[in-house]
Amino acid sequence: GMDGKGAAGLPCATCHAESNPPASYGAHAPPGAPHWSLPPAAHKMAWIGLPADQLCAMIKDRSSNGDRDFAALIKHVSDDKLVLWGWNPGQGRAPVPVPHDIFVTQFKLWADAGGPCPVVGS
Ligand code: HEC
């Protein structure tokens, strides 16, 4: 879907609830968190394989990050329930490998420094 929330007539929320299903559902049950979605088609956030300088620029770019300044980005990575789901992804899925509190501390350090980006090749 263009809005990232599923196809017409089959939104993500048809299968993905506001929280993970109970363990009794077993493996391969659809996980859940509030506002389950992908980024909208116009603001794709495809990170896999991006070099660090481009990833850094994309995260800061308000035209692609949901119009978030650093304060809003910090709130997003600290509190957003869909982001937090990454640390509690449900049965059979590996959580984000960095503990959430360390991730947020490092993110704040980066933001407080003005969000410097690496210079690739140096
Ligand atoms: C028809 C039902 C259905 C719809 C609609 C659906 N999903 Fe899923 N989704 C599933 C099921 C079932 C799984 C679990 C698959 C598994 O673990 O093998 C899943 C798994 C996932 C996962 C976890 C993948 C992983 O690596 O473990 C993500 C992320 C996801 N869906 C995102 C979405 C998004 C975003 C949408 C809407 C754009 C969506 N899904 C729409 C059924 C659905």
Side-chain angles (χ1 to χ4, degrees), residues 4-7 10-16 27-31 36-38 85 93:
K5 296 181 175 128
L10 190 59
C12 313
T14 307
C15 306
H16 294 277
H28 304 294
W36 192 268
S37 59
L38 290 165
W85 172 83
R93 294 180 187 87

Side-chain angles (χ1 to χ4, degrees), residues 6-72:
L10 190 59
C12 313
T14 307
C15 306
H16 294 277
E18 298 265 308
S19 59
N20 289 329
S24 62
Y25 280 43
H28 304 294
H35 67 92
W36 192 268
S37 59
L38 290 165
H43 300 155
K44 287 197 171 130
M45 298 201 83
W47 295 337
I48 294 173
L50 266 194
D53 58 333
Q54 287 177 36
L55 176 61
C56 176
M58 180 193 249
I59 290 170
K60 290 194 295 186
D61 179 359
R62 292 180 68 155
S63 75
S64 70
N65 76 4
D67 196 24
R68 293 179 174 93
D69 61 10
F70 283 125

Side-chain angles (χ1 to χ4, degrees), residues 80-95:
D80 186 287
K81 290 202 160 59
L82 184 52
V83 173
L84 290 171
W85 172 83
W87 282 267
N88 177 29
Q91 220 182 355
R93 294 180 187 87

